[in-house]
Amino acid sequence: MKRFWQSLFVMNKSTLIVVVSVFLMAFGNRAFFANIVDVYPLNPGNAAFLISLAVVFGAALVLIFSLVCYRYTTKPVLITILMLSSFAAYFMDSYNTVIDTDMLRNVAQTNVSEASDLMSGTLAIYVILLGILPSLFVYRVRITTGTVRRDILSTIKLASISLGIGVLTVVVFGNFYASFIREHKILRYYANPSFYLVSTVKFAGSFIESSSLPFKMIAEDAHAAPSDGSRELMIMVVGETARADRFSLNGYERETNPELAKEDVISFSDFWSCGTSTATSVPCMFSVYGTSNYDEQKAAATENVLDILARTGVNVLWLDNNSDSKGTATRITYRNFKTPENNPECDGEECRDTGMLTNLQQYIDAHPKGDILIVLHQMGNHGPAYYKRYPKAFEKFTPVCQTNQLEECSKESINNAYDNAILYTDFFLSKVIDLLKRNAGGFQTGMFYVSDHGESLGEFDVYLHGLPMFIAPDAQRHVPAVMWFSDNFSGVNEGALRAAKDQTMNHDWIFHTLLGLFDVRTEAYQPGLDILNIPGAEIARTPAH
């Protein structure tokens, strides 16, 4: 018996690759096969295809591993993949999300606080059972080796067999695979680890490409229009993970905007994000490229609207209570409010958005000349720990989900926690308006709030955000957008804005609206994408050409 168990830990490289591939295919892909079965139900007509899919998937993993494992790299490569795949399996199984290049970008740009909100006992179980234990097995295995020539021949043989099995199986079930490949591309996104490995290669390539791009100035003809003697003070609030359909200003049955309802605000009900993650949406909304032409590498190497405004004499300040500006505020004044040293309203690890307002008057008073634009980047509704995003006093809707493991909570408790966080954002925005009102004597003041993206709250068993745009549900893309202006803000026809509040708009409008708000004249400005100059409504502001 002892000899038998010892023999289990002795095998050649090819056998170990096959064992690991079968393990990952069978135990690390619950989300993949669950989504497959949703499209191809388990019945006699589909059974053979589903079995063939497991064969093709396993063969593909063997092929991939055989190409990257060579003698002394075999164990490190397989252990690394097992550990990473255990994390990927947890997030795909728990939140029905996918690990694409945008998600990897989010991971690369996250901080300790955000990462801690995703830690859980279930994650630990996944890592132990799918990562650590099989990795220990791989580590203990004694790989029998031969000559270098024999090892190369063995690799070629394994790769050829796996490729042959995969191709033959696809040919035999050609009709099924034609449909699978052509009509159900998203299903392949759940393949663990093949899809995240491909995404990692793409992400690394894009990072290398962006670092080599020369920095590009745009709107070099930009200049401020002749001053009429009045100064403008605008506060732009970049929200986090807020959904338009959870704002009572937009018709939500719950009163989530009691404070804003008291103010003379304009809520744009049909506003859409240019991405489904902070890493994409935040730089995109300030970029000249817009949703259809946005490219992270290109945008990172190009001036954004904040750079242009600062160059034309506007005092631009970015305060951040989120992870960071995702490169948007690299060339302007930036202050981090995720730390108690800067934010006086921190409760343990959670720093409140209202803390960003504490010393803002001092900044305004310290700039006696020129217009002022202040960007406040919220923590907002950042998930999955929605219950942490508001003080206890704002827990109006109960019971609430008190864990980051959303799959363990009822839909009602998840929605309650999420709506309470919206309620706190409403309070925060009202305090922004109060600050602007106090400064209306010396400025024309205004607030522009828009969320970076939305959030899935369990609809279709999908949670959080970050799905690719072409398959992302409306909940991840339909965002709230609200404007408020002081009575003395010249050139704003609020009647025209209210008449057009249900017009379809998106993040592309922000670039040009900010240029229009500060009367910056440049050929880069498109009046048709300026909210204050909405086509089809009465002209709300004189175009700046």
Side-chain angles (χ1 to χ4, degrees), residues 133-173:
L133 291 181
S135 293
L136 286 174
F137 171 79
V138 172
Y139 177 78
R140 288 287 307 277
V141 165
R142 181 168 64 85
I143 301 176
T144 58
T145 58
T147 64
V148 172
R149 180 176 179 275
R150 184 176 179 180
D151 189 55
I152 293 174
L153 291 175
S154 176
T155 298
I156 294 174
K157 180 180 178 181
L158 180 64
S160 300
I161 292 174
S162 59
L163 179 62
I165 291 174
V167 170
L168 180 61
T169 306
V170 170
V171 170
V172 171
F173 295 90

Side-chain angles (χ1 to χ4, degrees), residues 272-276 280-281 284-285 290-291 294 452 469 506-508:
W272 299 82
S273 69
C274 62
T276 62
T280 296
S281 288
C284 180
M285 70 169 68
T291 305
Y294 180 77
D452 59 351
M469 283 286 281
N506 61 24
H507 279 163
D508 297 3

Side-chain angles (χ1 to χ4, degrees), residues 72-288:
Y72 306 112
T73 69
T74 300
K75 286 187 177 183
V77 167
L78 294 179
I79 289 173
T80 300
I81 290 174
L82 284 166
M83 292 302 298
L84 292 176
S85 297
S86 66
F87 283 92
Y90 168 74
F91 288 109
M92 288 192 290
D93 291 353
S94 300
Y95 303 115
N96 208 20
T97 188
V98 297
I99 314 299
D100 61 357
T101 52
D102 285 339
M103 189 62 68
L104 291 173
R105 189 172 295 113
N106 291 332
V107 172
Q109 296 180 0
T110 194
N111 55 35
V112 174
S113 176
E114 288 184 350
S116 65
D117 284 338
L118 296 170
M119 299 298 109
S120 68
T122 304
L123 173 59
I125 292 173
Y126 267 77
V127 172
I128 292 171
L129 296 181
L130 299 183
I132 295 175
L133 291 181
S135 293
L136 286 174
F137 171 79
V138 172
Y139 177 78
R140 288 287 307 277
V141 165
R142 181 168 64 85
I143 301 176
T144 58
T145 58
T147 64
V148 172
R149 180 176 179 275
R150 184 176 179 180
D151 189 55
I152 293 174
L153 291 175
S154 176
T155 298
I156 294 174
K157 180 180 178 181
L158 180 64
S160 300
I161 292 174
S162 59
L163 179 62
I165 291 174
V167 170
L168 180 61
T169 306
V170 170
V171 170
V172 171
F173 295 90
N175 290 335
F176 278 100
Y177 282 98
S179 168
F180 176 73
I181 294 171
R182 183 178 62 252
E183 300 176 16
H184 304 293
K185 180 179 179 180
I186 182 57
L187 297 177
R188 306 198 300 273
Y189 286 29
Y190 291 94
N192 180 24
S194 55
F195 187 72
Y196 81 70
L197 290 175
V198 172
S199 298
T200 300
V201 173
K202 290 182 178 179
F203 176 69
S206 65
F207 181 80
I208 294 172
E209 179 185 352
S210 62
S211 63
S212 63
L213 289 175
F215 189 75
K216 178 182 178 182
M217 291 184 65
I218 59 172
E220 296 187 64
D221 62 330
H223 61 281
S227 174
D228 58 4
S230 59
R231 298 174 65 200
E232 292 181 9
L233 168 61
M234 285 294 304
I235 294 181
M236 179 166 184
V237 180
V238 177
E240 170 64 50
T241 319
R243 289 169 51 150
D245 64 356
R246 294 308 176 95
F247 268 45
S248 54
L249 291 175
N250 296 330
Y252 187 42
E253 63 271 14
R254 283 180 164 178
E255 190 178 41
T256 53
N257 303 126
E259 299 302 324
L260 288 179
K262 301 173 185 177
E263 306 292 347
D264 197 18
V265 300
I266 304 157
S267 180
F268 300 97
S269 65
D270 199 21
F271 212 96
W272 299 82
S273 69
C274 62
T276 62
S277 66
T278 304
T280 296
S281 288
V282 169
C284 180
M285 70 169 68
F286 293 98
S287 168
V288 70

Side-chain angles (χ1 to χ4, degrees), residues 1 24 86 129 148 161 172 214 216 220 222 265 279 290 302 345 355 401 463 471 510 533:
M1 181 62 68
L24 283 172
S86 66
L129 296 181
V148 172
I161 292 174
V172 171
K216 178 182 178 182
E220 296 187 64
V265 300
T302 306
E345 297 186 28
C401 178
Y463 295 91
I471 54 117
I510 294 174
N533 191 49

